[in-house]
């Protein structure tokens, strides 16, 4: 018998990488998609797996749709990746962000509790929950949360609900507190992909400048393909728990820009970058750096792609796409 998994957020960045990993492990994969006049399967197409996923209709803001899906599928594992995940947009759409990222999680956990209580649950928690919080310059499972955006606040609610369902009802629920992870199918609004796409366009003469916000922010950037392995490992462990997942190394946006231009063979990057206040945030998270010792020790998880390899992979993919 094949294991079954339901992935919400299947059409985003992480959904396709996780689906590919589970298909390689011979799972039957269901993907939750919300109604769209023009659904976009391009990220699944990029990995060549669109035809191997079974799509089910539902929306995180519609409780009855989640109940129906749980009733019909009763998956052994649920990976809740669906979210309004763009921090920068969360001030303008704070209510929607809360409904999808926080209340939606409550709906999904309730559906699991009522209809499929043996289902194991993964919650896509985030380093944005730490915000200003740090422990001697890094963040681990014991670091206090101090979120800085409506997105971060919504994810803190979802984090604690996930813990609370574990403690109250003994459900197998885990939080993966993932630091930034990127790939050639990262959404174009996020800074890494905005840079790799912009650099590729400048290289090919399609664009003259790249407009960015705060270049001083530092992030612990890894490769999405490595991080989905940690999600899967959490649900295979004998005890449900919460884990920080990151590389343990961070870099500024400026360093990312410099490396991306250099990967395209352009050394004078300052000629092309324009600082635009529109891309600065009302409250910034200045510095994120994971201490993923617990994931190394308990899950035996290690990232493989280096920062340099990630930047090169993204720039090369965008050059290829545009050529
Ligand atoms: P993403 O590319 O933005 O994908 C999010 C997915 O959620 C999209 O497929 C989107 O569907 C879906 N979605 C949004 N609203 C929905 C709704 N109301 N009902 C059902 N589905 C909905 O995000 P990602 O980078 O893959 O990240 C996956 C998860 O990990 C997110 O929860 C994110 O907050 C979290 N996370 C990400 C990172 C990171 O660095 N990538 C780090 C930590 C945590 P459409 O395609 O229809 O828009
Ligand atoms: N998006 C964007 N666009 N960010 C910019 C820009 C710009 O033009 N210029 C500078 N930045 C800075 C942001 O201010 C932020 O400090 C940093 O680049 C990273 O921004 P994003 O790539 O948008 O990612 P994020 O760190 O805010 O959020 C991502 O990572 C979180 C995990 O820490 C998202 O994937 C979240 O969903 C995820 O939880």
């Amino acid at each position: 018998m094949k294991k079954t998994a339901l992935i919400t957020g299947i059409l985003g960045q992480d959904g396709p990488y996780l689906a590919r990993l589970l298909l390689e492990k011979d799972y039957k994969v269901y993907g939750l998609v919300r109604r769209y006049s023009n659904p976009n399967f391009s990220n699944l197409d990029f990995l060549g797996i669109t035809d191997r996923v079974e799509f089910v209709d539902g929306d995180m803001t519609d409780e009855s749709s989640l109940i129906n899906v749980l009733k019909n599928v009763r998956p052994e594992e649920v990976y809740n990746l669906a979210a309004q995940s763009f921090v920068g947009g969360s001030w303008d759409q704070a209510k929607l962000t809360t409904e999808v990222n926080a209340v939606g999680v409550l709906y999904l956990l309730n559906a699991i509790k009522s209809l499929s209580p043996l289902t194991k649950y993964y919650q896509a928690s985030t380093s944005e929950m730490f915000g200003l919080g740090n422990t001697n310059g890094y963040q681990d499972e014991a670091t206090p949360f101090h979120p800085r955006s409506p997105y971060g606040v919504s994810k803190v609610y979802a984090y604690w609900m996930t813990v609370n369902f574990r403690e109250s009802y003994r459900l197998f629920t885990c939080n993966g507190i993932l630091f930034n992870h990127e790939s050639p199918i990262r959404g174009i609004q996020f800074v890494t992909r905005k840079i790799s796409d912009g650099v590729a366009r400048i290289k090919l003469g399609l664009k003259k400048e790249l407009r960015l916000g705060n270049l001083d922010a530092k992030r612990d950037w890894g490769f999405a393909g490595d991080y989905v392995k940690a999600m899967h490992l959490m649900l295979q462990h004998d005890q449900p728990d919460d884990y920080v997942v990151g590389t343990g190394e961070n870099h500024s946006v400026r360093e990312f820009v410099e490396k991306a231009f250099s990967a395209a063979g352009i050394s004078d990057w300052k000629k092309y970058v324009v600082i635009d206040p529109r891309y600065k945030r009302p409250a910034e998270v200045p510095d994120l750096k994971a201490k993923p010792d617990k994931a190394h020790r308990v899950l035996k998880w290690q990232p493989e792609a280096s920062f340099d390899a990630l930047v090169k992979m993204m720039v090369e993919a965008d050059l290829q796409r545009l050529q």
Side-chain angles (χ1 to χ4, degrees):
M1 281 287 281
K2 281 187 178 219
K3 263 190 168 179
T4 52
L6 169 70
I7 302 176
T8 73
I10 187 84
L11 305 182
Q13 171 189 249
D14 291 2
Y17 280 105
L18 177 63
R20 184 175 69 177
L21 177 78
L22 299 182
L23 288 166
E24 281 164 7
K25 294 184 182 299
D26 205 30
Y27 277 61
K28 164 103 183 139
V29 176
Y30 294 88
L32 185 88
V33 288
R34 53 182 170 158
R35 209 205 80 78
Y36 254 123
S37 21
N38 253 327
N40 181 351
F41 295 94
S42 61
N43 288 350
L44 287 165
D45 290 343
F46 183 87
L47 298 186
I49 54 169
T50 312
D51 295 342
R52 299 176 62 199
V53 173
E54 184 156 335
F55 298 104
V56 288
D57 296 327
D59 191 301
M60 294 301 291
T61 59
D62 182 343
E63 187 172 19
S64 64
S65 72
L66 300 178
I67 289 173
N68 279 338
V69 170
L70 257 293
K71 205 185 289 173
N72 295 334
V73 177
R74 289 189 207 278
E76 283 157 277
E77 297 173 7
V78 168
Y79 295 86
N80 181 33
L81 310 184
Q84 190 305 90
S85 78
F86 184 48
V87 175
S90 72
W91 281 272
D92 289 336
Q93 299 196 1
K95 181 167 180 271
L96 175 81
T97 302
T98 307
E99 283 170 356
V100 179
N101 300 4
V103 183
V105 170
L106 176 60
Y107 292 158
L108 190 51
L109 286 167
N110 264 329
I112 290 173
K113 170 176 159 267
S114 312
L115 297 161
S116 189
L118 295 181
T119 293
K120 296 181 175 182
Y121 177 82
Y122 173 86
Q123 170 59 25
S125 285
T126 164
S127 48
E128 271 292 304
M129 300 187 304
F130 295 121
L132 290 184
N134 73 82
T135 312
N136 305 321
Y138 58 78
Q139 289 91 14
D140 67 10
E141 293 80 5
T143 302
F145 298 147
H146 182 149
R148 296 272 281 169
S149 62
Y151 169 82
V153 173
S154 71
K155 287 283 189 173
V156 170
Y157 173 91
Y159 170 93
W160 282 116
M161 261 314 160
T162 301
V163 172
N164 187 254
F165 270 64
R166 182 165 78 220
E167 293 176 352
S168 306
Y169 309 115
R170 295 178 192 279
L171 296 192
F172 194 110
T173 60
C174 299
N175 281 291
I177 309 174
L178 270 53
F179 284 60
N180 299 48
H181 45 280
E182 319 294 316
S183 73
I185 55 169
R186 179 61 140 154
I188 199 84
Q189 281 183 307
F190 300 93
V191 79
T192 55
R193 182 76 201 293
K194 184 175 170 182
I195 296 168
S196 64
D197 174 76
V199 166
R201 283 175 197 273
I202 288 169
K203 175 75 181 174
L204 299 173
L206 303 171
K207 209 176 148 176
K208 290 197 162 29
E209 62 182 28
L210 174 58
R211 303 185 84 85
L212 294 169
N214 176 16
L215 300 188
D216 295 322
K218 289 183 161 180
R219 291 291 181 272
D220 179 334
W221 279 299
F223 170 50
D226 287 340
Y227 285 40
V228 297
K229 294 179 186 161
M231 299 177 187
H232 178 252
L233 286 169
M234 282 177 219
L235 297 199
Q236 311 317 306
H237 198 64
D238 50 6
Q239 295 298 325
D241 207 344
D242 310 314
Y243 299 88
V244 155
V245 176
T247 68
E249 180 185 308
N250 70 4
H251 300 269
S252 64
V253 174
R254 184 177 288 99
E255 283 176 81
F256 197 104
V257 170
E258 213 174 314
K259 285 242 187 292
F261 274 98
S262 146
I266 305 173
S267 54
D268 48 352
W269 64 271
K270 287 186 182 147
K271 235 170 77 183
Y272 302 100
V273 172
V274 178
I275 301 303
D276 186 333
R278 279 183 307 163
Y279 298 112
K280 293 197 172 165
R281 295 175 179 178
E284 178 63 286
V285 171
D287 200 338
L288 291 174
K289 183 160 68 166
K291 192 166 188 225
D293 295 6
K294 182 174 169 184
H296 294 171
R297 195 180 65 252
V298 181
L299 301 176
K300 313 280 178 245
W301 175 84
Q302 291 283 350
E304 282 170 30
S306 67
F307 177 67
D308 287 9
L310 175 68
V311 179
K312 193 162 173 278
M313 178 200 313
M314 293 180 70
V315 172
E316 282 176 358
D318 275 318
L319 278 168
Q320 206 174 0
R321 218 181 313 237
L322 291 163
Q323 271 161 349

